[in-house]
Amino acid sequence: MKTLIDVFTVALPLLYFSTVWAYAKAFFKDSAAAKRTKTPLLLATLAVHLSYLLLRSAFFNHPPITTIFEIMSIIAFSIGAAYAVIEFQTKVKNTGYFILILAFIFQTISSFFIENLSEVKPVLRSSLLGIHVSSALLGYAAIAISAVYGFLYLMLYHHIKSSRFGVIYTKLPNLETLEKMSILSIIFGFSFLTVAIAVGLIWLPRAFDHFSYFDPKLIGTVFIWAMYGAGLGAKKTIGWQGRKIMILSIIAFAVSFFSLTIINVYFSAFHKFY
Amino acid sequence: MNLIAVGINHRTAPLEVREKLWMSSDEIRKAVADLKGRPFSECFIVSTCNRTELYGMYNSSEGDSENPPDVDDLKDRLIAFKSAGSSVHREHLYHMVSSNAIRHLFKVASGIDSMVIGDIQILSQIKDDFNLASEEKATGPFLHRLLQSTYHVGKRTRTETTITEGAVSVSYAAVELASKIFSDLSKKTALLIGAGETGELTAKHLNGRGIGGLFVANRTRSKADDLVAALGGKAVEFDALQQMLAHVDIVVSSVTSDHYVITKTDVQRAMKERSHKPLFMIDIGVPRNIDPAANNIENVFLHDMDGISAIIDGNLQKRRSEIPRVNEIVLEELTEFTNWFNSLQVNPTIHDLRTHFEQVRQEEVEKNINRFSAEDRELLDLVTRRIVNKLLHLPTTNLKNGNEESDEEKHKKLHIVRSLFGLHKEQMPKE
């Protein structure tokens, strides 16, 4: 099993690279072969990736969330999986390049530096923790994707406004669809963060003696969750749309990203495992 | 190949000349009936606003018509048929023979000979006009096979290249642009300001894409009513168009006016009222109808003729870059058609027939050779060879002596022999 894990560690960046390459060829070069193979290639990559994560969990006897590089692999998988769901839901198949390149970068870094640890703190062996971390990461992956679609929206918006009718204009889906994809990602992200917070609130007090509701990471996540919730509510009630809401989705992601980074580096107390 | 094409198109004559040779369905019927038999064994005519072309297969076996018919005479007949001698001259018409004529027809069908590159509406016109000739019994196996290949060229061009993609007219480009902003036009409504030709065409295309609602505002109310009667939708007062901005998603304006019909303030007010939902406006009026500054308002997309022209130019350039690929398809289909035609010649057919029989003979001899003693084996070879020769003698002679038959009959006979014995299936016409 160890050999298989090692093979997958090397194979995954290559698989992500091929997938990103196929999506790029389909977008920029209109290659018919790439258009046919890109989605099956993505699904195959995700299947290998899922097997890899399960194998690691089984062989090392803990969910792969004990080091930053294990987490990165889960982030890569979350981005890929969240994108696959969005592609399936919206039937828009030509924006994968812009999203999956993130998964490729995360998995490559992970594969280079990942260590095979069998000895970890007992608290990290819980499967509830696995659900908590996975849904949190899926949530963050989804809001990252929403920011990418927000960014693509703004690019196309300005290209149309200024009568530039190049590749961006030709190949991207229409503005309404990009907006819909971005909003859909936010809804996914918000749902997963809800699960992560709920599971966290059930599990954390039981797992840690010195648990505190004032933990910075907990406060940060709840803040991000509330911000997206309020945004979705505002869209529903006030009817915000178009450029404004796309800018908000990018700002919200930037705020989430920086707050989490700062909290992780400077503040986290019990909520830090590596 | 005894094929001749004579015609006139946008390259050889201006519109006022080509329109003189344009033929209605009835005229096409009359003309092909007239040309069938003398000088052609098969013929058909294609006539559109950009071209009128006659394709004819002449019969080399009929007495003095061993030589091709006189091209000038054909041109004169076409001109005389339309009594257009005063404005159309021989110099306006071109002619092509044999594979050049076929290549030309294939190019026409692929859209690279069209006035607007990639416009292959012509394909259905070729089919319709060919049917007229068929109904007059002016077409035969050669032209039927040629039409099949022509259709194949058109189909391959559409599926294997992108020469037909991208809008190249103002009205289509406007609708294409709208589709880049909105995902479902059936949930959107449009306002047409002015009942001019381009505006009307745009409205027609929007209707074709299933626009959810259409409003028409025109200074002369009766014109708006007429347009609404033709296209559906609702006519609104010209003075009310500023109020309408809050309720529609697409605006197409094409009126003649020396001041802006819609100002930036009008749009600002409307955007507030419509909660800043995206508004797409196309201004095809000259001078412009909508204040260009309106484009600075958030979620407003305003484009004038310059923007639309940029789309059209880009698309035309893309279409032009596909021409080499289309030429490849034309060449491939031409080669295949020529192969088919050659396979219907007498000598290759006799050769294929003999090869086929000889193959069967050899296989059977080899299979059974061990049943014969060594001294009888040579005899076996000799006897079977004689049987085959005798069996093939009469068919060979009959095929060779078909000189007095017309090309049409000869082709039919060769076609039957080939399909009966399954000779060179790869060269047979596709079903």
Side-chain angles (χ1 to χ4, degrees):
Chain A
M1 202 195 284
K2 173 76 168 47
T3 325
L4 195 58
I5 291 173
D6 289 342
V7 170
F8 280 3
T9 309
V10 178
L12 274 172
L14 299 175
L15 278 170
Y16 274 105
F17 180 78
S18 322
T19 310
V20 170
W21 179 255
Y23 272 91
K25 286 273 277 186
F27 186 84
F28 293 104
K29 299 280 175 204
D30 239 342
S31 152
K35 279 183 190 165
R36 265 198 316 278
T37 50
K38 62 188 171 52
T39 306
L41 200 55
L42 170 65
L43 295 179
T45 306
L46 289 175
V48 171
H49 202 158
L50 184 64
S51 319
Y52 171 72
L53 295 174
L54 293 175
L55 279 176
R56 283 195 79 95
S57 309
F59 189 73
F60 299 114
N61 200 20
H62 62 82
I65 47 171
T66 56
T67 69
I68 183 87
F69 301 113
E70 282 184 340
I71 298 266
M72 277 195 174
S73 185
I74 294 195
I75 293 177
F77 178 76
S78 307
I79 293 173
Y83 170 76
V85 171
I86 288 163
E87 181 179 304
F88 184 74
Q89 283 270 331
T90 57
K91 310 273 180 251
V92 176
K93 296 174 184 292
N94 54 351
T95 52
Y97 166 76
F98 300 96
I99 312 284
L100 295 172
I101 196 160
L102 297 175
F104 164 68
I105 293 169
F106 277 116
Q107 184 53 44
T108 308
I109 298 172
S110 165
S111 284
F112 261 102
F113 299 107
I114 201 159
E115 293 166 86
N116 297 330
L117 294 179
S118 295
E119 293 304 314
V120 295
K121 292 178 198 166
V123 73
L124 296 180
R125 294 196 189 279
S126 158
S127 58
L128 263 181
L129 175 70
I131 295 174
H132 169 70
V133 175
S134 307
S135 49
L137 291 179
L138 268 170
Y140 287 126
I143 60 172
I145 290 175
S146 96
V148 174
Y149 281 125
F151 180 69
L152 292 178
Y153 178 99
L154 292 181
M155 272 210 298
L156 180 59
Y157 177 95
H158 289 292
H159 277 238
I160 294 180
K161 273 259 195 190
S162 54
S163 299
R164 275 180 286 159
F165 304 112
V167 178
I168 297 293
Y169 171 79
T170 323
K171 298 292 168 61
L172 282 182
N174 57 65
L175 287 175
E176 243 178 26
T177 302
L178 285 172
E179 185 180 341
K180 190 173 131 197
M181 290 171 95
S182 179
I183 302 291
L184 194 65
S185 310
I186 291 178
I187 292 171
F188 279 135
F190 182 72
S191 313
F192 280 118
L193 285 182
T194 310
V195 173
I197 291 170
V199 173
L201 287 178
I202 298 165
W203 170 75
L204 289 173
R206 280 194 266 153
F208 296 94
D209 299 332
H210 50 287
F211 169 79
S212 155
Y213 283 102
F214 296 101
D215 167 62
K217 198 186 256 178
L218 179 60
I219 293 171
T221 308
V222 171
F223 168 71
I224 290 162
W225 175 81
M227 178 171 66
Y228 276 99
L232 285 173
K235 178 167 170 52
K236 192 90 187 151
T237 51
I238 309 172
W240 278 350
Q241 50 188 320
R243 184 169 169 263
K244 191 176 281 169
I245 197 126
M246 291 298 100
I247 290 178
L248 280 179
S249 89
I250 295 174
I251 293 175
F253 174 70
V255 170
S256 313
F257 186 80
F258 284 114
S259 66
L260 277 183
T261 313
I262 290 165
I263 288 166
N264 259 336
V265 174
Y266 296 108
F267 294 106
S268 215
F270 79 94
H271 213 148
K272 190 175 182 182
F273 312 115
Y274 45 83
Chain B
M1 237 178 284
N2 299 336
L3 182 72
I4 285 194
V6 174
I8 188 167
N9 69 13
H10 55 93
R11 283 186 230 282
T12 59
L15 181 62
E16 60 271 22
V17 175
R18 343 188 257 280
E19 70 186 3
K20 295 280 190 265
L21 280 196
W22 178 82
M23 291 187 194
S24 66
S25 301
D26 286 341
E27 285 171 327
I28 289 178
R29 283 177 193 278
K30 250 178 92 184
V32 292
D34 185 40
L35 290 158
K36 158 90 177 167
R38 260 172 62 91
F40 296 127
S41 57
E42 300 179 39
C43 64
F44 76 100
I45 290 174
V46 182
S47 190
T48 72
C49 51
N50 282 327
R51 69 181 72 241
T52 297
E53 288 177 347
L54 157 71
Y55 292 86
M57 190 71 180
Y58 61 89
N59 197 342
S60 61
S61 62
E62 270 189 12
D64 60 359
S65 58
E66 274 284 339
N67 298 319
D70 182 34
V71 174
D72 284 344
D73 181 49
L74 277 175
K75 290 179 179 174
D76 291 344
R77 275 178 78 169
L78 269 181
I79 297 168
F81 182 80
K82 287 289 294 180
S83 316
S86 57
S87 36
V88 188
H89 308 294
R90 280 181 192 167
E91 297 71 46
H92 289 126
L93 288 103
Y94 45 82
H95 80 275
M96 276 161 260
V97 293
S98 197
S99 51
N100 283 336
I102 298 176
R103 192 197 310 268
H104 176 72
L105 178 63
F106 286 177
K107 282 186 172 179
V108 171
S110 70
I112 55 175
D113 197 60
S114 300
M115 204 163 178
V116 178
I117 293 169
D119 176 11
I120 58 169
Q121 295 235 328
I122 179 91
L123 199 57
S124 58
Q125 275 164 316
I126 292 177
K127 199 184 171 195
D128 292 346
D129 290 355
F130 186 88
N131 284 341
L132 297 175
S134 273
E135 282 163 24
E136 291 302 315
K137 305 211 178 339
T139 58
F142 179 86
L143 286 186
H144 273 281
R145 177 63 168 79
L146 181 62
L147 185 81
Q148 226 176 59
S149 295
T150 308
Y151 230 72
H152 204 223
V153 170
K155 208 171 139 193
R156 283 188 63 193
T157 306
R158 212 171 0 207
T159 51
E160 294 173 26
T161 75
T162 54
I163 198 157
T164 57
E165 287 174 15
V168 287
S169 68
V170 173
S171 46
Y172 261 122
V175 177
E176 190 184 277
L177 198 46
S179 317
K180 229 32 206 187
I181 296 166
F182 305 115
S183 62
D184 186 357
L185 290 183
S186 69
K187 291 182 184 148
K188 307 292 166 193
T189 51
L191 168 67
L192 187 62
I193 306 172
E197 196 188 348
T198 316
E200 186 184 335
L201 270 177
T202 313
K204 269 187 190 161
H205 292 322
L206 283 169
N207 258 352
R209 295 286 284 270
I211 187 84
L214 181 69
F215 299 94
V216 182
N218 196 56
R219 281 206 190 89
T220 319
R221 174 67 191 238
S222 60
K223 270 194 177 175
D225 288 332
D226 290 348
L227 198 58
V228 164
L231 296 176
K234 196 168 176 271
V236 292
E237 291 301 328
F238 193 78
D239 299 335
L241 63 90
Q242 282 82 2
Q243 283 79 53
M244 282 304 293
L245 290 182
H247 309 290
V248 294
D249 307 288
I250 299 167
V251 177
V252 182
S253 183
S254 60
V255 287
T256 312
S257 169
D258 50 8
H259 62 275
Y260 294 136
V261 179
I262 296 172
T263 63
K264 189 181 176 187
T265 323
D266 293 335
V267 182
Q268 263 165 338
R269 201 181 304 128
M271 286 307 282
K272 214 169 169 187
E273 207 181 320
R274 58 190 284 118
S275 316
H276 300 276
K277 269 195 306 184
L279 176 64
F280 170 55
M281 298 196 283
I282 285 278
D283 182 357
I284 39 186
V286 178
R288 284 182 287 186
N289 302 157
I290 305 172
D291 183 355
N295 194 38
N296 300 332
I297 302 169
E298 187 167 302
N299 290 341
V300 171
F301 302 90
L302 169 61
H303 288 270
D304 55 25
M305 277 308 274
D306 280 354
I308 297 289
S309 303
I311 296 183
I312 294 174
D313 290 348
N315 286 341
L316 274 175
Q317 210 175 337
K318 264 185 252 154
R319 285 183 176 204
R320 269 193 287 271
S321 69
E322 286 289 288
I323 291 179
R325 177 69 199 112
V326 176
N327 273 324
E328 275 172 36
I329 292 175
V330 167
L331 192 65
E332 282 164 23
E333 292 295 325
L334 181 64
T335 312
E336 192 169 324
F337 186 83
T338 316
N339 282 346
W340 169 79
F341 184 80
N342 289 341
S343 78
L344 293 185
Q345 302 307 296
V346 174
N347 284 337
T349 303
I350 292 173
H351 173 262
D352 292 346
L353 192 64
R354 288 198 160 271
T355 312
H356 173 67
F357 271 66
E358 178 59 19
Q359 229 168 8
V360 174
R361 187 194 70 80
Q362 277 178 11
E363 277 168 21
E364 288 305 309
V365 167
E366 271 169 36
K367 222 186 280 171
N368 296 296
I369 197 116
N370 292 332
R371 298 184 184 185
F372 294 84
S373 60
E375 56 271 24
D376 284 342
R377 285 181 187 173
E378 206 174 320
L379 197 62
L380 171 72
D381 197 55
L382 192 73
V383 171
T384 51
R385 210 181 282 275
R386 270 192 198 156
I387 294 172
V388 167
N389 278 341
K390 284 209 165 177
L391 277 174
L392 284 180
H393 177 70
L394 198 60
T396 310
T397 323
N398 281 343
L399 282 175
K400 276 186 176 165
N401 288 345
N403 283 346
E404 63 284 351
E405 291 166 350
S406 70
D407 277 357
E408 194 179 329
E409 284 165 349
K410 208 169 9 181
H411 283 159
K412 255 189 200 160
K413 201 158 81 180
L414 290 168
H415 187 76
I416 289 170
V417 170
R418 287 195 157 266
S419 25
L420 213 54
F421 290 101
L423 305 177
H424 284 249
K425 278 194 175 116
E426 72 278 7
Q427 290 186 353
M428 298 309 289
K430 284 179 196 154
E431 291 308 319

